[in-house]
């Protein structure tokens, strides 16, 4: 008799041998600019909680209040028994921030992308996608059954050429792009993409996971940053980064959102967002709007740190960025790992990101509004010492 699960152990061995093996790191205590790992305090440069709202007492209290009012679980899918007034309030608040007609919340950003893409395109359609797009956009594109073609990162000329050749062979066309690229920190050329989409009768879905709460005068994201508010497009994002909660959303026209409520399988056939997550996200959204000082502080840190990273060493390129994601590119995966580990030994958490996740090895630093100047100065001093001692 064979063992149908016997392939697992050798597969894990292969993963380990390639240095791709991953494990979880248990952090204890509240998350914030300082975290506790294995009983040690580390300054945290790996968080997506850009504004520090995940540990804001007002957001925590909103989660508790929602749980006391509605219980822990939403107990059903949104169309059956899982919908509360709180969900609608949250959707209306998202639509108000984005200045769209309506919005819909999913149980995660990943599910929002997969559900939306598979609902709006199929076999007869075309998807054009930036090669650096997030895994959830790629998964949605693959599952949709549409013809998927990737274009070189950020290159609108290539996008236009593809449309010129391919558009007439397909029914609908959907362009997919991150707004802030999560592993690089740069922005998509949104105004150019929207202009090209208009010319070639194509829809655009922009993923604002790292833009919402961070970019734009009111924190509405990259769309606001580029002055594209009100243009026809599909904006999605997550409640789990600057909003410090869990869940995803899509914002757009009344017709789009109504269609998704009827056709997005990852919204229809899954349990509604928990009251705690919905309550926390709503409270965080209100703070994003009422207290721009968190966003201003975050950008103050970006502008402080970026030139200091650039000055470190000609060997360590700082990748172009327009966000609180700052990447220091290093010559090899081994050096990235060594830098990350040495920083950690010195009390700083800064994750090394290597191929195959990204094409080139790098330290990926994310800033938070709740960092202090001391935190940043300690990082720069540690990096200055390290770059002097490491091989080039
Ligand atoms: C994190 C992320 C998502 C997924 O959001 P979750 O709510 O964590 O599932 C989607 N797109 C991008 C670009 C992201 O960074």
């Amino acid at each position: 008799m064979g063992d149908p699960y016997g392939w697992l152990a050798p597969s894990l061995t292969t993963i380990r041998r390639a240095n791709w093996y991953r494990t979880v790191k248990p952090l204890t205590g509240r998350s914030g600019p300082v975290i506790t790992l294995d009983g040690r305090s580390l300054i945290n440069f790996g968080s997506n909680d850009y504004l520090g709202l995940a540990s804001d007492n007002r957001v925590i209290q909103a989660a508790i209040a929602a749980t006391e009012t509605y219980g822990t679980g939403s107990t059903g899918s949104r169309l059956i028994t899982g919908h509360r007034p709180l969900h609608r309030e949250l959707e209306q608040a998202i639509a108000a921030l984005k200045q769209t007609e309506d919005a819909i919340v999913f149980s995660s950003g990943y599910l929002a992308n997969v559900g939306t893409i598979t609902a709006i395109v199929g076999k007869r359609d075309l998807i054009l996608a930036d090669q650096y797009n997030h895994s959830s956009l790629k998964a949605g594109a693959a599952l949709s059954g549409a013809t998927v073609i990737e274009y070189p990162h950020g290159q609108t000329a290539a996008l236009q050429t593809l449309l010129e050749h391919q558009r007439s062979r397909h029914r609908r066309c959907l362009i997919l792009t991150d707004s802030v690229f999560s592993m690089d920190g740069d922005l998509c050329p949104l105004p150019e993409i929207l202009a090209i989409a208009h010319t070639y009768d194509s829809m655009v879905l922009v993923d604002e996971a790292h833009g919402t709460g961070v970019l734009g005068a009111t924190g509405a994201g990259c769309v606001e940053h580029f002055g594209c508010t009100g243009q026809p497009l599909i904006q999605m994002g997550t409640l789990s980064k600057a909003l410090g909660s869990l869940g995803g959303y899509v914002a757009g026209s009344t017709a789009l959102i109504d269609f998704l409520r009827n056709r997005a399988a990852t919204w229809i056939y899954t349990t509604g967002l928990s009251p705690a997550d919905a309550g926390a996200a709503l409270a965080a959204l209100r703070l994003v709007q009422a207290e721009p000082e968190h966003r201003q502080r975050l950008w103050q840190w970006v502008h402080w740190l970026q030139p200091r990273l650039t000055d470190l060493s000609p060997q360590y390129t700082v990748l172009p960025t327009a966000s609180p994601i700052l990447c220091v590119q290093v010559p090899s995966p081994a050096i990235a790992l060594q830098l990350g580990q040495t920083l950690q030994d010195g009390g700083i958490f800064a994750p090394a990101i290597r191929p195959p996740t990204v094409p080139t090895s790098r330290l990926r630093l994310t800033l938070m509004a709740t960092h202090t100047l001391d935190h940043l100065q300690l990082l720069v001093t540690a990096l200055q010492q390290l770059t002097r001692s490491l091989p080039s």
Side-chain angles (χ1 to χ4, degrees), residues 108-110 134 136 178 182 207 209-210 238 240-241 247:
S108 77
Y110 207 107
H134 188 260
S136 54
D178 282 19
S182 56
D207 180 335
H210 295 274
T238 178
S240 68
K241 288 175 178 143

Side-chain angles (χ1 to χ4, degrees), residues 50-53 56 58 97 212-220 224 242 283-301 368-370:
Y50 297 111
L51 303 175
L53 295 178
D56 187 293
R58 296 162 295 179
L97 177 71
T212 301
V214 170
L215 283 161
T218 71
E224 181 184 35
L285 211 100
R286 297 212 164 119
L287 290 174
V288 162
Q289 291 179 292
E291 300 180 353
E293 56 267 31
H294 306 296
R295 192 163 44 257
Q296 284 153 12
R297 174 60 55 86
L298 175 65
W299 282 101
Q300 188 187 329
W301 294 154
M368 299 175 71
T370 46

Side-chain angles (χ1 to χ4, degrees), residues 130-154:
D130 189 289
Q131 68 176 141
Y132 284 4
N133 277 348
H134 188 260
S135 161
S136 54
L137 289 169
K138 295 190 187 216
L143 265 175
S144 73
T147 301
V148 183
I149 306 177
E150 290 195 335
Y151 58 88
H153 177 52

